[in-house]
């Protein structure tokens, strides 16, 4: 932690990504993509699925169309959706430290929002099944904006719904697409990498990168004492 710059201020609000940051769902998602592709006998290598982490449906479709035909993409989405719904119906495991961080923010009356590439109603259903929905004042999804991550729209809308200036908000993300969205919105961003780690181009954005949500918690504590 000593090499990570302290936060410059106590944020007026904290905005959270969902998948891979709060909920341990990216591994399930990749497994469902892979299984669906195998069932449909589609020629996609397993390493490809990491490229979809953090992206909205339209960007996933754009990448898939570089490898398979439109009809195959539609069939893949449909089968992956069914597999994922079956796997996530009862809720998914939480990432370490998320409950403690959310409880800390609630105790200090710091507003909280979700900004996720997952569409409604799946986003709210997953948050509810995982016991997280009640912690948030606002939930913004890719259903609510014209341009999903890595565009900044989701984060800008979350700040607007909270009534806060983006420059006074802290964003927590795991994926490169999410970090680009948060930084593009003018927010202070902390990345907690999960499956995809930042390359040099992403590190050049100058955001903070920590090993866990426990580390993110520690960066906030000096402002709350």
């Amino acid at each position: 932690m000593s090499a990570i710059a302290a936060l410059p201020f106590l944020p007026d609000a904290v905005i959270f990504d969902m998948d891979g940051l709060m909920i341990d769902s990216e591994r399930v998602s990749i497994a469902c993509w892979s299984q669906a592709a195998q069932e449909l006998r589609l020629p996609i290598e397993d390493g490809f699925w990491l490229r979809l982490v953090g992206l909205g449906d339209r960007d996933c479709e754009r990448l898939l169309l570089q490898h398979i035909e439109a009809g195959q993409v539609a069939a893949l989405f449909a089968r992956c959706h069914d597999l994922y719904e079956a796997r996530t119906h009862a809720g998914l495991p939480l990432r370490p430290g998320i409950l403690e961080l959310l409880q800390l923010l609630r105790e200090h009356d710091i507003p909280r929002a979700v900004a996720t590439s997952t569409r409604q109603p799946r986003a709210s259903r997953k948050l509810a099944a995982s016991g997280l929905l009640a912690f948030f004042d606002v939930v913004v999804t890719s259903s609510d904006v014209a341009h999903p991550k890595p565009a900044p729209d989701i984060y800008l809308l979350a700040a607007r719904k909270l009534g806060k200036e983006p420059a006074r908000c802290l964003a927590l993300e795991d994926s490169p697409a999410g970090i680009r969205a948060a930084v593009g919105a003018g927010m202070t961003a902390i990345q907690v990498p999960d499956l995809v780690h930042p390359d040099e181009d992403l590190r050049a954005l100058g955001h903070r990168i920590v090993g866990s949500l426990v580390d993110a918690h520690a960066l906030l504590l000096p402002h709350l004492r």
Side-chain angles (χ1 to χ4, degrees), residues 89-163:
H89 182 73
L92 289 163
L94 299 180
R95 300 291 293 165
I98 185 57
L99 286 177
E100 293 81 359
L101 178 54
L102 289 171
Q103 288 163 354
L104 175 76
L105 296 172
R106 184 161 64 182
E107 288 167 5
H108 288 85
D109 295 320
I110 296 175
R112 302 160 302 280
V114 175
T116 175
S117 293
T118 298
R119 300 182 68 81
Q120 288 286 25
R122 178 185 281 181
S124 290
R125 187 165 64 246
K126 285 169 68 175
L127 289 166
S130 300
L132 297 179
L133 186 60
F135 282 100
F136 293 99
D137 307 290
V138 167
V139 176
V140 179
T141 78
S142 59
S143 301
D144 303 313
V145 295
H147 305 290
K149 301 172 187 177
D153 302 37
I154 286 178
Y155 277 101
L156 292 172
L157 180 57
R160 186 159 68 248
K161 284 180 173 288
L162 290 171

Side-chain angles (χ1 to χ4, degrees), residues 1-218:
M1 290 295 295
S2 59
I4 301 170
L7 292 176
F9 54 81
L10 177 65
D12 291 347
V14 182
I15 304 177
F16 292 77
D17 176 48
M18 182 176 71
D19 294 296
L21 179 86
M22 297 193 294
I23 301 174
D24 194 3
S25 52
E26 297 292 13
R27 290 167 181 80
V28 174
S29 179
I30 287 175
C32 291
W33 281 118
S34 180
Q35 181 179 339
Q38 290 174 18
E39 290 178 4
L40 295 169
R41 301 179 183 274
L42 299 177
I44 301 176
E45 296 181 358
D46 278 344
F48 170 82
W49 307 117
L50 284 174
R51 297 176 60 191
L52 306 187
V53 171
L55 297 179
D57 287 351
R58 282 174 292 182
D59 285 325
C60 291
E61 181 180 6
R62 176 180 54 80
L63 289 175
L64 284 163
L65 284 171
Q66 297 173 11
H67 299 270
I68 55 178
E69 297 177 357
Q72 293 173 314
V73 170
L76 178 63
F77 263 88
R79 181 55 180 150
C80 183
H81 176 273
D82 290 345
L83 290 169
Y84 192 81
E85 289 296 301
R87 293 277 295 270
T88 62
H89 182 73
L92 289 163
L94 299 180
R95 300 291 293 165
I98 185 57
L99 286 177
E100 293 81 359
L101 178 54
L102 289 171
Q103 288 163 354
L104 175 76
L105 296 172
R106 184 161 64 182
E107 288 167 5
H108 288 85
D109 295 320
I110 296 175
R112 302 160 302 280
V114 175
T116 175
S117 293
T118 298
R119 300 182 68 81
Q120 288 286 25
R122 178 185 281 181
S124 290
R125 187 165 64 246
K126 285 169 68 175
L127 289 166
S130 300
L132 297 179
L133 186 60
F135 282 100
F136 293 99
D137 307 290
V138 167
V139 176
V140 179
T141 78
S142 59
S143 301
D144 303 313
V145 295
H147 305 290
K149 301 172 187 177
D153 302 37
I154 286 178
Y155 277 101
L156 292 172
L157 180 57
R160 186 159 68 248
K161 284 180 173 288
L162 290 171
K164 305 298 181 183
E165 290 295 324
R168 295 288 306 177
C169 293
L170 174 66
L172 293 171
E173 271 283 356
D174 69 295
S175 73
I179 284 295
R180 292 190 186 280
V183 172
M187 297 184 181
T188 296
I190 298 176
Q191 185 177 11
V192 188
D194 182 23
L195 294 179
V196 182
H197 290 268
D199 59 19
E200 290 306 311
D201 287 344
L202 196 72
R203 289 177 181 274
L205 296 177
H207 62 288
R208 292 159 179 80
I209 303 169
V210 300
S212 70
L213 287 167
V214 175
D215 296 335
H217 186 148

